[in-house]
Amino acid sequence: MAQTQSLLRVPALYGGPSSGGPPPSSALRTLTKCSPLDGEPIAEVELAGPAEVAAAVEASARAAVSWGRTPVKERVQPLFRFKQLAEAAIDELSASISRENGKTHGEARAEVEKGIEVVEFACSLPQIGAGRLLEVSSGVDCFTRRYPHGVVAGITPFNFPAMVPLWMIPIALACGNAFILKPSEQVPLTPLRLLDLFREAGLPENVLQVVNGDRSAVETLLDHPGVAAAAFVGSTPVAREVHRRGTLAGKTVLALGGAKNHLVVVPDADPEITARNVIASATGCAGQRCMAASVLILVGEAEPILERIVEEGRRIETGKSMGAIISAAARDRIVGYITQAEKEGARLPLDGRGVTVPGREGGSYVGPTIIDGLAPDAACVKDEIFGPVLTVLRVKTLAEALAIENASPFGNAASIYTTSGATARAFADRASAGMIGVNIGVPVPREPFSFGGWNASRFGHGDITGEDGIHFWSKQKKITQKWTAGAASNWMS
Ligand code: NAD
């Protein structure tokens, strides 16, 4: 990365500190990246065109051959070293995430730690990736082996600059692929630092590359015949299109989309735990996470618990315990939703519009917001808002709450707050989502359990991490062989 007039210049194609890469091209479009914390410009990002994407695929294809033939036990050694390097660099990585994404240092640190968990999982591939073998007839063995796809790509969103790339990279590399990361152009810095650490850990040149760009780079990757598989994480309309376009081009594609997560509170819920947890879910990462609480469904007598939730929300200090919104445009979009709700007659027991942080007037902030009294078909109830906005609905029974949750086209996460095991179990059975929480508002499964939603929150098969990740990033071969010492005959003869 070069530094021009105190702005970092982020190259369209990056292969690591020692790999050089093409010189900056004046023909490329660029984007000025500003920090959401204070609005200050921090980087000039080159946006890759078809030539940069083609160069990345070509270099990856060369690297994929020897990397794919390297025994898995050797392939995971750089991952062990990466884990140590990432842990040693965690403060620096967290600072980078916070600066470019706007989240708090604590949240940034937690996302690096979660990403490292996937690295640990990938390090166990020599053990958990052992295939199956059965003597299916006398002298005849059937066994399975997994092979890499070759060149694969990952396209990631702005909200987890380290964690989402780390959902993909470690497992894909351990499986023997050469990986091209196309991070969100809104968070171009942290992924480059991750790549530096992988190279420092001993990953061979071009086994991992970063292509910076926008829609055009994604489409070129998806159309390129040299890319065999692609994983995507981002919003639902783009996920749907990436899945369609990639599979049409013959690739294996898994595309995780957006979310609208429902949190259901029944009358026997513990008020203290519930209030704290609901607000933490709705305001963590300023609501910009696919696991965030978005619709709160209160079953039965609701006033006391709602008052407590509002009280908890008032304690959040925007700019301190809650971070910024990724951009001014995203902030304005969120504010637009709140204003529309107000026009539709909603009450706003908490209204985060117009919040500024002293000393950071150029930053993009929205305070915690609670919207009450909307009809179930209002935009704030149905759309993914992706900000610290919680919309409250009231119903009489759990069945009604489940009907609302089930009717949502999304299906990432759903949670219930209750002290009854039977109620929790019924909810877990009937909610239409891939990840269920019981008294937990952000039910992210920890490794080795895999991460992934249902319905319009996921296009393709399986989850992105865990064993599903191994299946996604590799192909299974079934080998049947006959070795008989004499003329013994069997069904294969
Ligand atoms: P986004 O869909 O705008 O962008 C994601 C990636 O796609 C970026 O790299 C971007 O450059 C690229 N892109 C954008 N528009 C494109 C287009 N038209 N064609 C091809 N590529 C395009 O998402 P975002 O705003 O960066 O991230 C927020 C979204 O991601 C939210 O909807 C959130 O719910 C979702 N998300 C989902 C998960 C999950 O696991 N399901 C996890 C994190 C984020």
Side-chain angles (χ1 to χ4, degrees), residues 204-293:
E205 194 169 328
N206 293 328
V207 168
L208 175 63
Q209 294 180 91
V210 175
V211 165
N212 285 298
D214 54 12
R215 174 182 186 160
S216 148
V218 174
E219 291 178 347
T220 312
L221 276 169
L222 292 172
D223 294 345
H224 199 297
V227 177
F232 171 91
V233 178
S235 59
T236 284
V238 183
R240 185 183 278 116
E241 177 54 20
V242 162
H243 184 261
R244 190 199 65 78
R245 192 168 182 138
T247 48
L248 213 60
K251 296 178 200 336
T252 303
V253 183
L254 174 62
L256 301 190
K260 187 77 181 173
N261 303 317
H262 295 73
L263 266 51
V264 175
V265 179
V266 298
D268 69 11
D270 181 297
E272 264 332 295
I273 292 173
T274 302
R276 272 204 305 273
N277 205 268
V278 166
I279 284 298
S281 174
T283 64
C285 299
Q288 300 164 106
R289 53 184 172 181
C290 65
M291 298 296 278

Side-chain angles (χ1 to χ4, degrees), residues 155-160 164 167 182-186 213-215 218-219 232-236 238 242 256-259 289-290 384 386 412 451 457:
I155 299 135
T156 53
F158 78 80
N159 63 332
F160 285 96
V164 174
W167 280 353
K182 206 304 282 172
S184 165
E185 62 276 37
Q186 300 192 79
D214 54 12
R215 174 182 186 160
V218 174
E219 291 178 347
F232 171 91
V233 178
S235 59
T236 284
V238 183
V242 162
L256 301 190
R289 53 184 172 181
C290 65
E384 181 178 43
F386 224 53
N412 219 37
F451 188 100
S457 295

